[in-house]
Amino acid sequence: MDMTGSRRLPVGLLTLWGATRLLLLLFVFKVFVFPGPDVTGDVSVIYQGWYGTLRAGTYPLDDVTWQYPPAAALAILSPALLPFLDYASAFFVLACLADLAVLALLLHAGARPGRTWRGARVWVVGLPLLGPTAYARYDVMVTAVAVAALLAGSRHPRAMGALTAFAALLKVWPALLLLGARRRAAWAWAAATGVALAAGLALAMPGAFAFLTFQRDRGTEVESLGALVFHVARQFGWDGEVLLNYGSVEFLGPHVDLVSDAALLLSGVAFAWLLLWRVRARRFAPHTLADAAFVGVLMFTATSRVISPQYMVWLVGLAAVCLCFRASRMGLPGGMVLGASFVTVLEFPIWFGHVVASDWLGVTLLFVRNGLLVLAALLAAFELWSETVALGGALSGAPGGALSGAPGGALSGAGPVGAGRAVPRAPKKTGAAPLKDQATPMGLKDHSSADLKDDGAAGLKDHGAAG
């Protein structure tokens, strides 16, 4: 029976979530031993060390591995909410609760008209593909806030803006959620909330923005796209080395700076394309907000100097939000992200030693994982452009990209162009009234075990239902 049109909760999906999450908890609590290096060291050693410093009233000013915006302190301090558990245990329980919150948001959103539970399925299946790393970093908490912001969308632009600002102060990447936001209220509330929170945190403790310097000095991490240059070069005698640097395993040696600069240039090109898309886009459907956020984060992840395993948590969460909408065209890119997530757990932690050694297995895994991310980014960008720019402009021949002349680029009573519905024609009767213009109603790692640490990454009106 197709459950996407039913109000009843999908029991099978909930059962699968419970089984897979229980397995993740058993791994992080070390009831079962997951292959490869211990990924929980970041929590029990690094996070817990920062916890003590933060409780003393200051950010970790002397620790170059602290590469997070100021609100990250709240995530590190969150285990204090469960004082009856030790730090690591409390953190893992809170990570699982954040995971459950994402599922609840996706199920609620998927039960609404025009939506589907595909997104919930993507989340249930995708997160455990990353293994225990999913619960051993605070990225699942950030993703929960980002998912809530996107699902608030155009129906609640103020809430979206405030949640986006909070998420961006936890980890910078959620700022990209605003790419497809068209209501000025979302931008205004994001700016106001961000300034207020940042100022409050800076006044509360010294060193709130020290992370900017530490992040600037990052190099080329061994799992990044640019690192493939040196993995191959090592086969031909390149005399650089692999060392723990700024909290992650990086290449150091001749020409590393050039590759790092090239990665920054690629990120700049991605940003320029996103700006061009935002200026040229004319047709905004309800799912465009989520699709644009997914494309933006995917492009910046693929071109980053660092592609830590936990970055995949963001992409799985954003892909899940996109696929809550029946009309979203991000199905194939989302599937590629799931594939990349599975390869990610193979390269870290299971066979990370092969990656560090640059042997054939390690290099093959990185080529496959990073290749999937690049292809997914290109395909997702093409789909976003063709749906919001190329298709609308081609049909109308007008800057508005709409046959009717409506700002949303849709005819009265018509569904989204290209979404499988026929475009109604004007009545043939002489003197018939023209069709009424209106918008449609839609309208890694930080690798870290104890010694490898998480890295920080890097007014137009919206139509219709929540984006």
Side-chain angles (χ1 to χ4, degrees), residues 365-426:
L365 289 172
L366 287 184
F367 264 106
V368 173
R369 196 278 299 271
N370 293 344
L372 283 170
L373 289 179
V374 171
L375 287 175
L378 293 174
L379 178 59
F382 172 80
E383 294 288 1
L384 181 66
W385 183 277
S386 64
E387 185 178 32
T388 60
V389 180
L391 183 57
L395 286 173
S396 66
L403 287 173
S404 67
L411 279 168
S412 172
V417 178
R421 298 184 185 181
V423 177
R425 299 180 180 277

Side-chain angles (χ1 to χ4, degrees), residues 50 53 58-66 210 214:
W50 290 339
T53 302
T58 182
Y59 285 92
L61 299 176
D62 299 324
D63 189 346
V64 297
T65 63
W66 176 261
F214 300 151

Side-chain angles (χ1 to χ4, degrees), residues 227-263:
L228 289 171
V229 173
F230 301 110
H231 282 296
V232 173
R234 291 178 84 183
Q235 316 304 317
F236 298 94
W238 180 72
D239 59 354
E241 52 188 346
V242 177
L243 294 175
L244 184 65
N245 187 52
Y246 284 97
S248 67
V249 181
E250 299 179 354
F251 280 114
L252 298 176
H255 312 302
V256 171
D257 289 345
L258 291 177
V259 172
S260 296
D261 290 342

Side-chain angles (χ1 to χ4, degrees), residues 106-124:
L106 293 171
L107 287 173
H108 176 72
R112 297 180 57 201
R115 309 291 183 85
T116 172
W117 277 327
R118 285 188 308 166
R121 296 188 187 105
V122 167
W123 180 254
V124 169

